[in-house]
Amino acid sequence: MTWSVSARGAHQPDNTAFTQQRLPAWQPLLSAGITLPLFFCAGLAFIGLGLGLFYSSNGIKELEYDYTGDLGTSNCSVCATEGQGRAPPPNCSCAWYFSLAELFPGPVYLYYELSNFYQNNRRYGVSRDDAQLSGLVSALRHPANECAPYQFSASGLPIAPCGAIANSLFNDSFSLWHQRPQGGPYVEVPLDRTAIAWWTDYHVKFRNPPLVNGSLALAFLGTAPPPNWHRPVYELSTDPNNTGFINQDFVVWMRTAALPTFRKLYARIRQGNYSAGLPRGTYRVNITYNYPVRSFGGHKLIIFSNISWMGGKNPFLGIAYLVVGSLCILLGFVMLVVYIRYQDQDDDDNDDQ
Amino acid sequence: MDSLVAVIECQQPEADLYRFMGRMIITQQMEEIVRPLGPESLLLRGARLKNTKEIFGVAIYTGMETKMALNYKSKSQKRSAVEKSMNTFLIIYLIILISEAIISTILKYTWQAEEKWDEPWYNQKTEHQRNSSKILRFISDFLAFLVLYNFIIPISLYVTVEMQKFLGSFFIGWDLDLYHEESDQKAQVNTSDLNEELGQLEYLFTDKSGTLTENEMQFWECSVNGMKYQEINGRLVLEGPTPDSAEESLTYLRSLSHLNNSAHLTASSYRTSPESETELITEHDLFFKAVSLCHTVQISDAQTDGIGDGPWQSSLAPAQLEYYASSPDEKALVEAAARVGIVFIGNSEETMEVKVLGKLERYKLLHILEFDSDRRRMSVIVQAPSGEKILFAKGAESSILPKCIGGEIGKTRIHVDEFALKGLRTLCVAYRQFTSEEYEEIDRRLFEARTALQHREEKLADVFQFIEKDLVLLGATAVEDRLQDKVRETIEALRMAGIKVWVLTGDKHETAVSVSLSCGHFHRTMNILELINQKSDNECAEQLRQLSRRMTEDHVIQHGLVVDGTSLSLALREHEKLFMDICRNCSAVLCCRMAPLQKAKVIRLIKISPEKPITLAVGDGANDVSMIQEAHVGVGIMGKEGRQAARNSDYAIARFKFLSKLLFVHGHFYYIRIATLVQYFFYKNVCFITPQFLYQFYCLFSQQTLYDSVYLTLYNICFTSLPVLTYSLLEQHIDPYILQSKPTLYRDISKNHLLSIKTFLYWTVLGFSHAFIFFFGSYFLMGKDISLLGNGQMFGNWTFGTLVFTVMVITVTVKMALETHFWTWINHLVTWGSIIFYFIFSLFYGGILWPFLGSQNMYFIFIQLLSSGSTWFAIILMVVTCLFLDVVKKVFDRHLHPTSTEKAQMYSNTVALSDEFIALQPLSRARNQLSKLSLLNQIQVSSAWTPCAASQERRCAHLLEECWNEF
């Protein structure tokens, strides 16, 4: 056995800033002296921003119309009562007339709004198969189990697109007509139905299955459409770039909403004479009334809105900024008073010492 | 060695390091020799060989059966107060979790009573779902809600706390201020679980010798044969008024030195002396011979290499002998005897060699009756050169004097008391001569007892009792145990910090009181109450009542209490409550004559008293182990009495004064760090999960998650874990120097202040309100679900959840930033890094269609979210609103009811600011102002900390003038 000799100071800890907890550090202190100017600055900035946001939101026009047809308020009530208790209801058309006293500045966006419709219900929200929607052939034949009870049709064929979301695709359609001279004929306003879905959804996330012999119909051979649909998915549109899983209405619908009252983009109005907006005059919206909402107490609305950089008409942000900004300044003043009063007291204390 | 055949019998493994019983039966030429084996023949694991080339050994216990291993296991688990309150909070959160789940389940079913909500045409159930039993559905729904909300229970808190404690404890070992240069020892952390408990102490129990004192003994005085001598400059001088003339006072020394012609001794100057009084000489001779024979001191052979010195080795003089002893008292005594002229040279085989004034004498060492704390004495039996067999006994006065039948008992007792009053440690020395018959009997009985396998200790004790009687008293020694550096300041600081200091010692009452006074434990101004020498219950009760009356009647601010062991056990047996009441009102308590187990019992009593105070015990010796283990926090002093205390402690330090940094700085920091860590964890999980709960009101309680599952998993692991961990390792809310110089700041965090139910509620309410702001802020932003994008497209439910989540990650991280007072580069890195990481991760995660994921819910969600201007404004608004309320509260608290810590922070900040101000000046002006300000700072410091700084101020001004003149 050897007796190890340890050098003197062998156990001495390292004298570094880290081990001695002496790292250079910034040591801020939340005192009134620092926070007061901060509060006033932040308050003023917020009020300024709030005013800006408020006016920006106020500049946005919105025109909405409830066409549920509840109490015989509109001619859609005929359709509503007709469709009562039957799903799907028969094709029924109604119209909404409105007139603009001045130009409705463009670009104008056409939305539909549903209320009391729980797209965020968990059972509903998971009832889809993203693999199938991405064009995977195996998933087309074998839809995910989450799709049940919309997984296989009564005859045992796989449903494409499967699931509750796809099955409940919104199927009302709208067309807009403009009566340019007073009492003249109605001219159809072109609705741009492209680019209403997210670019990535339309171009990447949703893909049709590979064509069979150049035909989309053959690709979907051996599948059944969702039970509520009147036509198969490959006939949603005649445009090959807008049919099947990449139909824009379908893609828009498949992005489930966060809250039970939601809007979805239907079309943009930006073509021809209407690129600057809707000129003054009388308009008619032809509505194909298919979608039943009264069974769950829902409402259907149609909305024209224009858009700023911050989106649609949203007074909340502006008001919230104003409120928080004024609170900042108010509390800043309170704090100033407290600060001055207690400053004196502190000085007195020090003098006493 | 090859031919050795032997059998070793020993006891079953046990944890006691200092107890071992066994025997070795050696078979030699058909003959069996039995040799006893005791603790002295056992080498513990990790023992090192010194001064010997080689030894032969047999492994007796191995692996988990070694005494060391058994000792590690037997350590009891200590849990800190923080951990306990953490568990309380956890239960509260468990209740919140379960009630949220129950509310959700009930509401789900009331909502779903109507079919239009339960199963609208667009959302049909499967047959299986329709037909499942209602009770089963109810239970599965309840469980689903539990799973949905379970993140409110911060599981990761436990992991983080463990990590914080483990990593954080390194700072104690690393601290240079806790490093003792002389002994090359740094602080040790044995239990990192208790770091924060160091900031919570209310009672401190300390041992005296070795803890408050150096345990470096110096021979001071002795009383021989009823005469008192003092050692002055290495000479023994008769002390005090004696009936004899002053000349006679040196008789002994003269008589001693008359034989001595060498210049070897310091006492040699008294060479000329009358050759008389030989009787006296023998008494004195015998006294010092006893001192130099009755011990277990070893001589160092390796005196020439001189490097590997043990901590308690010292050289008498150049080329002199070096002594090693397990007890510093013995070493001091042997050295003193050597200075007087009776030099212990060494023991070879079974003889002890002593040089008496240059003349070598050999004593045959027959037996050593080892010291133990029950007998409180040790003795040796030697055979003098003349052939007579003598027993020398040495021990505490209480254990020797009753056994004495001859010698100057009365005078010595007086002297011993006098020594004790001076705070000296006393030992009495006595001897006994044996007739050969007597000795033979003793020898036989001793051997029997030592080889006994059963009840060896009891038998030995009996034999010792039999041997150590009918002694003749020789005298008493007095050894001074020097106070450690800065003990007085430390104790004063502890008291200022609101910690009650109890000194528990085995010393005599007088010694203990005088040491208490000298170390500042007792003040002269204190009203000292005494509870000593109580013999009966009634007497004790009466005394206690009298004391409590005195406490209320005497108009003194501070009381001190002195109790001795026997009275204490009486008081504790019957009048515990009364006694504890008195103790709690005393600012200083001194318990003397304490047995080790009594020390532990006192601590246990304080621990279980109604207020349940947090206790700390400091000690250095094996006799302090029980109290170190009993207290909430045990601190061992790595001193001269072995390392047993250090090994059994939670923290080991080299010096008592290090306690002030350990408690006031490390303890305070650790407490602040961990308390905030715990509160923050609960807060951030409330923030996290409450929006999920609120969302259920908008999705028909269908258990729809608001956040993606990856976010749910990573929230606690990646996005919010590092800033709080860094905070909990590096935070210094105030300068450590101020903490140490202002012990009163310690009171700010006492009684687990930062984890009180009020603070906890504040954090929880804050968490809930932040969650409401996140959720409803996002909710109202969506409004009637208007478009938030510049191209009119719509967001979906995942975007909504991600918005809430983004605001939450930022808010929670910035909230941590608000709590941080100490921003090192690491803090900056992890705080801002966490937010940046969240953004980068989300961009990456949402930017790819992950082939292995079933649903692609998050695809491009985050990028779409960030492409909206409104979202950015909303994020800023929500984050600011959340923190705004908190900042307002902080500022108002700071200005309306500042704690003393906050005041100190303000103060230190102004100093720092003025330094910065200097830095901005041009150099020439800065130099002037720097000197001015540094002086001013001093004044500020002094005026802030001491009430009377006026004179100093004037001096400073004067100094200032002088400086200018020189320029």
Side-chain angles (χ1 to χ4, degrees), chain A residues 73-352:
Chain A
T73 47
S74 69
N75 55 18
C76 284
S77 56
V78 180
C79 292
T81 41
E82 229 176 88
Q84 192 74 35
R86 270 197 286 164
N91 267 342
C92 174
S93 295
C94 52
W96 165 39
Y97 296 90
F98 66 94
S99 54
L100 296 173
E102 54 180 7
L103 176 78
F104 194 97
V108 181
Y109 290 74
L110 178 58
Y111 294 91
Y112 60 91
E113 179 180 314
L114 293 178
S115 64
N116 266 340
F117 190 104
Y118 285 85
Q119 270 204 319
N120 57 8
N121 187 300
R122 189 178 139 73
R123 196 170 69 231
Y124 180 85
V126 297
S127 188
R128 61 191 286 163
D129 185 353
D130 279 343
Q132 192 188 50
L133 297 175
S134 72
L136 209 65
V137 176
S138 60
L140 189 68
R141 307 283 165 213
H142 308 283
N145 288 332
E146 284 85 4
C147 287
Y150 309 101
Q151 191 181 12
F152 293 102
S153 69
S155 52
L157 288 175
I159 293 176
C162 76
I165 311 177
N167 182 50
S168 58
L169 176 67
F170 184 75
N171 57 0
D172 285 1
S173 57
F174 314 104
S175 57
L176 179 62
W177 301 78
H178 181 205
Q179 188 185 36
R180 197 163 296 170
Q182 195 68 29
Y186 280 96
V187 184
E188 182 161 13
V189 178
L191 299 178
D192 183 2
R193 306 292 312 282
T194 62
I196 53 175
W198 291 11
W199 190 93
T200 47
D201 282 358
Y202 176 68
H203 286 96
V204 185
K205 195 173 167 184
F206 289 77
R207 295 282 79 193
N208 275 325
L211 303 181
V212 175
N213 296 334
S215 155
L216 190 62
L218 286 177
F220 280 101
L221 193 70
T223 64
N228 284 356
W229 289 22
H230 296 290
R231 46 189 175 170
V233 64
Y234 49 84
E235 282 174 17
L236 282 175
S237 165
T238 49
D239 179 4
N241 285 329
N242 194 28
T243 190
F245 294 150
I246 55 170
N247 175 270
Q248 294 239 4
D249 283 329
F250 175 67
V251 174
V252 165
W253 181 256
M254 290 306 282
R255 181 151 292 287
T256 50
L259 298 166
T261 298
F262 60 86
R263 289 178 185 185
K264 296 211 181 278
L265 184 56
Y266 185 78
R268 300 180 294 162
I269 301 164
R270 50 179 211 133
Q271 284 154 329
N273 298 328
Y274 303 96
S275 55
L278 295 177
R280 61 192 217 106
T282 310
Y283 290 84
R284 187 184 79 212
V285 181
N286 279 358
I287 300 164
T288 325
Y289 193 108
N290 288 322
Y291 207 71
V293 291
R294 292 179 42 161
S295 65
F296 53 84
H299 283 264
K300 301 197 281 190
L301 276 78
I302 184 165
I303 296 129
F304 289 96
S305 167
N306 52 17
I307 289 289
S308 73
W309 59 271
M310 55 176 283
K313 188 179 180 73
N314 188 3
F316 167 71
L317 261 188
I319 293 170
Y321 263 92
L322 285 174
V323 168
V324 174
S326 6
L327 259 179
C328 268
I329 289 185
L330 186 75
L331 278 167
F333 275 116
V334 174
M335 217 178 283
L336 190 68
V337 172
V338 169
Y339 181 60
I340 291 167
R341 278 197 52 187
Y342 280 80
Q343 187 79 350
D344 295 346
Q345 207 164 337
D346 278 356
D347 288 346
D348 292 348
D349 288 353
N350 291 341
D351 291 346
D352 292 346

Side-chain angles (χ1 to χ4, degrees), chain A residues 20-21 111 130 258 310 312 321, chain B residues 174 673 695 787 792 856 870 873:
Chain A
Q20 300 310 312
Q21 307 199 53
Y111 294 91
D130 279 343
M310 55 176 283
Y321 263 92
Chain B
W174 282 336
R673 288 168 186 176
Y695 192 50
S787 172
Q856 308 292 347
S870 305
F873 277 108

Side-chain angles (χ1 to χ4, degrees), chain B residues 563-582:
Chain B
V563 202
D564 66 357
T566 48
S567 315
L568 183 73
S569 56
L570 277 176
L572 292 183
R573 202 181 306 148
E574 296 288 333
H575 318 288
E576 203 181 300
K577 206 177 157 288
L578 190 58
F579 178 68
M580 294 312 293
D581 281 345
I582 295 176

Side-chain angles (χ1 to χ4, degrees), chain B residues 545-556:
Chain B
R545 274 190 282 276
Q546 210 175 324
L547 290 183
S548 69
R549 218 172 21 250
R550 269 183 67 190
M551 292 199 87
T552 47
E553 281 166 10
D554 294 2
H555 296 287
V556 185

Side-chain angles (χ1 to χ4, degrees), chain A residues 1 3-5 7-15 18-33 35 39 46 49 53 62 64 109 111 113 116-118 120-125 128 130-131 148-150 164 167-168 195-201 204-205 228 255-265 268 291-293 295-297 307-314 316-317 320-321 324 327-328 331 334-335 338-339 342 353, chain B residues 48-50 53 111 116-126 129 171 173-177 179 181-182 184 186 305 307-308 666 669 673 695 698-700 702-704 729-730 732 735 777 779-797 799-800 818 820-826 828 849 854-857 859-861 864 869-870 873-874 876-877 880-881 884 887-888 890-892 894-896 905-906 909 943 947:
Chain A
M1 273 185 226
W3 174 21
S4 66
V5 175
R8 185 154 189 83
H11 297 114
Q12 180 163 14
D14 293 339
N15 186 9
F18 178 68
T19 55
Q20 300 310 312
Q21 307 199 53
R22 276 198 319 255
L23 281 176
W26 172 54
Q27 290 165 280
L29 212 57
L30 269 183
S31 64
T35 42
F39 266 50
F46 269 46
L49 273 174
L53 288 169
E62 230 180 50
E64 63 174 43
Y109 290 74
Y111 294 91
E113 179 180 314
N116 266 340
F117 190 104
Y118 285 85
N120 57 8
N121 187 300
R122 189 178 139 73
R123 196 170 69 231
Y124 180 85
R128 61 191 286 163
D130 279 343
Y150 309 101
N167 182 50
S168 58
I196 53 175
W198 291 11
W199 190 93
T200 47
D201 282 358
V204 185
K205 195 173 167 184
N228 284 356
R255 181 151 292 287
T256 50
L259 298 166
T261 298
F262 60 86
R263 289 178 185 185
K264 296 211 181 278
L265 184 56
R268 300 180 294 162
Y291 207 71
V293 291
S295 65
F296 53 84
I307 289 289
S308 73
W309 59 271
M310 55 176 283
K313 188 179 180 73
N314 188 3
F316 167 71
L317 261 188
Y321 263 92
V324 174
L327 259 179
C328 268
L331 278 167
V334 174
M335 217 178 283
V338 169
Y339 181 60
Y342 280 80
Q353 281 175 6
Chain B
R48 289 195 299 178
L49 200 59
K50 283 190 174 182
K53 284 237 163 52
W111 224 282
K116 70 173 178 184
W117 301 126
D118 184 31
E119 205 180 351
W121 66 263
Y122 57 86
N123 191 16
Q124 301 280 308
K125 290 179 183 172
T126 60
Q129 281 167 335
F171 284 116
W174 282 336
D175 196 335
L176 268 176
D177 293 338
Y179 169 75
E181 215 161 328
E182 281 93 80
D184 187 27
K186 56 182 183 181
D305 62 26
I307 335 160
H666 287 290
F669 279 163
R673 288 168 186 176
Y695 192 50
Y698 296 92
C699 70
L700 289 179
S702 59
Q703 293 125 18
Q704 175 65 36
L729 289 174
L730 302 177
Q732 296 178 22
D735 193 74
Y779 176 80
F780 286 119
L781 177 71
M782 294 281 180
K784 285 189 297 176
D785 203 25
I786 41 88
S787 172
L788 295 174
L789 286 165
N791 59 11
Q793 292 169 357
M794 300 304 304
F795 284 155
N797 63 328
T799 320
F800 178 69
L818 276 184
T820 310
H821 290 101
F822 196 73
W823 283 87
T824 64
W825 62 268
I826 305 173
H828 283 290
L849 281 170
S855 61
Q856 308 292 347
N857 292 333
Y859 184 61
F860 253 70
I861 294 282
Q864 286 282 351
S870 305
F873 277 108
I876 294 169
L877 177 77
V880 169
T881 314
F884 168 68
V887 170
V888 169
K890 274 180 193 294
V891 174
F892 273 111
R894 180 176 290 282
H895 286 278
L896 294 182
Q905 280 175 341
M906 293 290 236
N909 221 37
S943 60

Side-chain angles (χ1 to χ4, degrees), chain B residues 393-516:
Chain B
K394 180 180 80 180
E397 125 274 355
S398 61
S399 65
I400 293 282
L401 290 183
K403 303 269 176 189
C404 287
I405 51 161
E408 297 278 357
I409 299 176
K411 274 191 188 171
T412 309
R413 195 191 290 275
I414 294 166
H415 287 167
V416 167
D417 288 346
E418 281 172 16
F419 295 155
L421 267 180
K422 293 182 196 165
L424 302 173
R425 289 160 73 93
T426 58
L427 283 175
C428 288
V429 183
Y431 80 103
R432 178 186 175 189
Q433 244 171 342
F434 293 118
T435 61
S436 52
E437 298 87 59
E438 270 175 338
Y439 176 71
E440 259 160 46
E441 195 198 344
I442 284 164
D443 196 35
R444 187 178 48 76
R445 290 184 63 167
L446 259 179
F447 182 74
E448 265 169 29
R450 279 190 204 264
T451 48
L453 267 190
Q454 264 140 29
H455 308 299
R456 182 187 285 178
E457 280 172 20
E458 289 87 340
K459 283 180 184 167
L460 270 178
D462 281 349
V463 180
F464 288 173
Q465 193 79 15
F466 172 73
I467 299 171
E468 290 166 334
K469 64 177 185 188
D470 303 340
L471 306 172
V472 178
L473 187 66
L474 284 169
T477 58
V479 171
E480 191 205 21
D481 192 358
R482 208 150 46 80
L483 270 185
Q484 279 188 16
D485 199 20
K486 290 197 175 154
V487 167
R488 178 181 275 275
E489 289 88 334
T490 309
I491 288 184
E492 188 53 41
L494 287 171
R495 191 170 293 138
M496 275 166 72
I499 300 173
K500 291 190 173 172
V501 181
W502 287 38
V503 175
L504 310 178
T505 173
D507 280 350
K508 277 179 61 94
H509 162 228
E510 291 82 5
T511 318
V513 170
S514 74
V515 170
S516 262

Side-chain angles (χ1 to χ4, degrees), chain B residues 679-855:
Chain B
Q679 300 281 26
Y680 177 74
F681 253 92
F682 282 106
Y683 154 81
K684 89 182 161 110
N685 281 282
V686 170
C687 278
F688 181 37
I689 229 62
T690 309
Q692 290 251 63
F693 175 64
L694 295 173
Y695 192 50
Q696 299 309 309
F697 287 85
Y698 296 92
C699 70
L700 289 179
F701 297 93
S702 59
Q703 293 125 18
Q704 175 65 36
T705 59
L706 189 53
Y707 322 118
D708 184 63
S709 58
V710 171
Y711 282 164
L712 276 174
T713 317
L714 294 187
Y715 175 73
N716 271 324
I717 300 173
C718 298
F719 300 144
T720 59
S721 59
L722 278 181
V724 65
L725 182 67
T726 314
Y727 168 90
S728 67
L729 289 174
L730 302 177
E731 169 69 354
Q732 296 178 22
H733 61 299
I734 189 167
D735 193 74
Y737 170 74
I738 295 175
L739 276 182
Q740 204 173 356
S741 58
K742 255 196 117 176
T744 43
L745 296 182
Y746 194 78
R747 289 169 190 257
D748 270 9
I749 55 164
S750 67
K751 293 273 172 215
N752 212 351
H753 180 73
L754 291 183
L755 289 176
S756 66
I757 216 73
K758 206 178 123 200
T759 341
F760 170 70
L761 277 182
Y762 172 70
W763 278 88
T764 304
V765 167
L766 192 75
F768 273 113
S769 57
H770 281 189
F772 272 75
I773 293 173
F774 306 149
F775 183 79
F776 286 108
S778 307
Y779 176 80
F780 286 119
L781 177 71
M782 294 281 180
K784 285 189 297 176
D785 203 25
I786 41 88
S787 172
L788 295 174
L789 286 165
N791 59 11
Q793 292 169 357
M794 300 304 304
F795 284 155
N797 63 328
W798 297 110
T799 320
F800 178 69
T802 309
L803 172 62
V804 174
F805 194 83
T806 307
V807 177
M808 178 167 64
V809 168
I810 298 173
T811 309
V812 161
T813 310
V814 179
K815 165 71 184 158
M816 188 74 262
L818 276 184
E819 292 297 314
T820 310
H821 290 101
F822 196 73
W823 283 87
T824 64
W825 62 268
I826 305 173
N827 293 83
H828 283 290
L829 183 75
V830 295
T831 305
W832 313 126
S834 281
I835 296 178
I836 292 168
F837 173 76
Y838 167 70
F839 275 83
I840 290 174
F841 173 84
S842 299
L843 289 175
F844 180 64
Y845 174 57
I848 294 173
L849 281 170
W850 295 93
F852 48 84
L853 289 179
S855 61

